[in-house]
Amino acid sequence: MKLFVGEGNPQGVKVLAAAALWAQHVQIDRLQQEEKIVPFMSQPRLPVLDLENGNYLFLSNAICRYFYLSSGHDMCDLSNQWLEWEAAELQPALSAALYAHVVQGKKKEDVMATISASLKHLDQSLAGKSSPYLIKDALTVVDIVVWGSIYPLIVDASNLPEEMASLKRWFQNVSQLEQCQKAASSLLKDKGSSVFKPFLQKQPAPITPPGKSVCK
Amino acid sequence: MAVKEVVALERCLGLNSGKYSSRAQAAGKIPILQTNKGPSLVGISTIASHLVKEAKKEELLGSSAEEKAVVQQWLEYRITCIDRVSSKEDIRNVLKDLNHYLKDKVYVAGNAVTLADILIYYGLHPVIAGLSIQEKETYINVSRWFSHIQNYPGIRQHLPGLVFIKNRIYSSNH
């Protein structure tokens, strides 16, 4: 199978980390720009996993889930719920925040305020847990999907609000994993969030008023 | 819509009805299921996947790792793309892609009906109901699939059956 990741596409962080943690025999193809890989999608969509049997996974959470499941893990109700929350609530808010910061030049502190409800939800879920991970007492696909989602904007735990100690600790923990470090540095190349500018500039501004489509 | 839909799914699976509430979110309402054991479950695809397991119909979630990922991918597509169409153009884009995808397929994932077919059918119902006969012919593969799923035993529930014409009226569609 082949994993296609676009340079400067923030969705690449989580799939590269998940591939390093759980995938076997995956060939990673880094594309300089967005290309149409999925034959049935009229717009380019990356990252994409070509399963080389006619099937494609074109949503990054599905790709992470596939790597995780195929390494023998299982998903419970709670892990489904986190992945659905990430896709339905965190992702739209985060894309808008990243766009405002990187393309429109808004200050990081200001855009962080727009996602504070989501961050608070994460912090509260982690607080009072004996385990340092979001569910269960070991790293799961949920940690990778959520971490990979906020990483492009947060980059460093010091950018998280002081009072969210549990979230900070979790973020640092996951960021320190070798596979995550590698995924992040290979995409961000020490340039921070600005590395996503060329990609994001070509996207329509992701304002998310009620009912707005997130499809390209 | 959201709560009504999970209730339809419960009936389709032959389950007793659970306790639901909902909360507002950008794209509409999110259903919440109060379970007997443990905390409540939030979100349509989470609840639907849970109900399928309760009904011991796990085959609806796919059998291999690949099928499971494909089913969940289309559930996410349903929530993030189909549920958020806000213009004619959005609708056209979704239908165009689905039409292309379903070209050589009977079901959305694998070779049997799955939860992806059921939830995409529920989600597309208001969209398809608003199409003209000519548009239904343009998206011929979507129409064929939709007509098949709505006639599948137990799935349609409270939704009105939509009419598809078997013989093409317009000949110049591609």
Side-chain angles (χ1 to χ4, degrees), chain B residues 133-134 137 165-173:
Chain B
I133 295 173
Q134 187 170 7
E137 283 193 10
I165 293 173
K166 286 227 170 75
N167 301 309
R168 288 186 158 212
I169 303 176
Y170 305 93
S171 56
S172 61
N173 286 318

Side-chain angles (χ1 to χ4, degrees), chain B residues 88-138:
Chain B
K88 271 269 173 201
E89 197 198 341
D90 287 346
I91 293 176
R92 260 201 310 276
N93 288 338
V94 162
L95 289 175
K96 199 172 143 200
D97 289 352
L98 276 174
N99 197 55
H100 197 158
Y101 178 69
L102 291 166
K103 195 171 64 182
D104 53 359
K105 290 181 179 64
V106 178
Y107 300 102
V108 170
N111 297 317
V113 74
T114 63
L115 191 56
D117 293 290
I118 304 175
L119 289 198
I120 292 181
Y121 161 72
Y122 288 157
L124 272 186
H125 195 279
V127 171
I128 304 288
L131 296 183
S132 66
I133 295 173
Q134 187 170 7
E135 285 168 316
K136 283 180 193 161
E137 283 193 10
T138 306

Side-chain angles (χ1 to χ4, degrees), chain B:
Chain B
M1 180 64 194
V3 170
K4 216 170 167 183
E5 191 178 328
V6 282
V7 172
L9 180 67
E10 273 181 342
R11 291 205 194 108
C12 164
L13 294 167
L15 293 169
N16 294 326
S17 52
K19 261 192 211 150
Y20 292 99
S21 55
S22 65
R23 75 176 149 83
Q25 184 236 9
K29 282 192 168 167
I30 307 183
I32 303 170
L33 169 65
Q34 192 58 57
T35 54
N36 297 330
K37 38 187 184 203
S40 50
L41 292 174
V42 185
I44 195 155
S45 77
T46 302
I47 294 175
S49 304
H50 168 81
L51 293 176
V52 164
K53 283 185 233 160
E54 286 284 286
K56 306 224 178 324
K57 291 189 174 146
E58 273 93 346
E59 66 275 12
L60 290 175
L61 297 174
S63 45
S64 60
E66 178 177 327
E67 252 179 53
K68 285 178 187 164
V70 172
V71 168
Q72 294 293 331
Q73 158 166 279
W74 287 102
L75 299 186
E76 185 181 327
Y77 181 85
R78 147 77 212 262
I79 297 165
T80 57
C81 293
I82 299 176
D83 288 359
R84 293 189 188 166
V85 292
S86 59
S87 63
K88 271 269 173 201
E89 197 198 341
D90 287 346
I91 293 176
R92 260 201 310 276
N93 288 338
V94 162
L95 289 175
K96 199 172 143 200
D97 289 352
L98 276 174
N99 197 55
H100 197 158
Y101 178 69
L102 291 166
K103 195 171 64 182
D104 53 359
K105 290 181 179 64
V106 178
Y107 300 102
V108 170
N111 297 317
V113 74
T114 63
L115 191 56
D117 293 290
I118 304 175
L119 289 198
I120 292 181
Y121 161 72
Y122 288 157
L124 272 186
H125 195 279
V127 171
I128 304 288
L131 296 183
S132 66
I133 295 173
Q134 187 170 7
E135 285 168 316
K136 283 180 193 161
E137 283 193 10
T138 306
Y139 307 111
I140 191 74
N141 305 312
V142 175
S143 296
R144 168 181 51 76
W145 166 85
F146 191 95
S147 167
H148 177 203
I149 300 302
Q150 77 171 355
N151 288 310
Y152 200 94
I155 294 181
R156 190 163 65 81
Q157 297 295 327
H158 64 285
L159 294 166
L162 301 182
V163 178
F164 296 89
I165 293 173
K166 286 227 170 75
N167 301 309
R168 288 186 158 212
I169 303 176
Y170 305 93
S171 56
S172 61
N173 286 318
H174 40 87

Side-chain angles (χ1 to χ4, degrees), chain A residues 27-28 61 74 127 152 157 185-186 190 196-197 202:
Chain A
Q27 183 192 326
I28 295 169
N61 288 5
D74 223 343
S185 66
S186 79
D190 296 328
F196 302 116
K197 192 169 179 180
K202 291 184 205 135

